[in-house]
Amino acid sequence: MSKRIDVSGLTAYYGAHKAIEDISMTIEPRTVTAFIGPSGCGKSTFLRTLNRMHEVTPGGRVEGKVLLDGEDLYGPGVDPVAVRRQVGMVFQRPNPFPTMSVFDNVAAGLRLNGVRKKSDLSDIVEKSLKGANLWNEVKDRLDKPGAGLSGGQQQRLCIARAIAVEPEVLLMDEPCSALDPISTLAVEDLIGELKERFTIVIVTHNMQQAARVSDRTAFFNLAGVGRPGRLIEIDDTERIFSNPSVQATEDYISGRFG
Ligand SMILES: Nc1ncnc2c1ncn2[C@@H]1O[C@H](COP(=O)(O)OP(=O)(O)OP(=O)(O)O)[C@@H](O)[C@H]1O
Ligand SMILES: [Mg+2]
């Protein structure tokens, strides 16, 4: 069951450098939210605060709250590893475990979660690969290395790996930027299917992609060099692309800067 994300007053630092400041937003379950904005405005940083990956960077820390169905992910006693299981992530460059087989790539997270029975693993691996629209292409090579797949297949393998553990939320940081147009469309179609089960947040520099895949769009911007990134507005995607409330949003999506 997907859950609602509720962020309030979130500020994130790298050591003394404040990268993003005072971000608040809600994200409804089973929606796709796109994060757009110029390079360096903190989209990736903010995304990583949503599953406690930000603090993995030395000096990385946050202030503020991130609630997942009312529970603060930064609350005392919360295990960041458990958070990352609930809030999965897909990165810009497909990063399958290179020496592991296709099967083991998808099974890796399940094994960490204690699933041992071969038949259970097989069932979930098949279901996840089908869910990632990759099954037909790999069903005869499950024992071959994940690194032997094409870039687009590798990215869908990473999506299969992420959804195998049934997260509540799926975070995707420019998941198509290393893919050709056909693989990109395959991943976009997949996002449309996955949102029936998951809450999805996607960072993209591709305005058409944001318009195609997302229900809501958040525009981030920098007030100046060295200043922290801020959320400028978040609204229905249709509205952001037709009639945004803020001039800077309009300038950005129409390509006047950024
Ligand atoms: N590991 C890091 N250590 C120190 N500063 C960092 C680190 N990663 C990012 N930053 C800084 O945080 C700010 C936001 O960076 P971030 O990568 O989140 O931007 P972005 O919006 O994702 O940019 P892009 O569109 O280029 O991916 C930038 O000023 C950047 O230099
Ligand atoms: Mg980024």
Side-chain angles (χ1 to χ4, degrees), residues 131-133 156 159 185-195:
N133 290 338
R156 281 177 286 143
I159 293 172
L185 284 180
V187 170
E188 288 182 9
D189 284 346
L190 179 56
I191 290 170
E193 292 167 25
L194 293 176
K195 82 165 183 183

Side-chain angles (χ1 to χ4, degrees), residues 29-48:
R30 297 174 187 203
T31 59
V32 179
T33 301
F35 289 176
I36 62 169
S39 186
C41 70
K43 304 175 297 295
S44 298
T45 301
F46 180 55
L47 196 72
R48 289 194 300 261

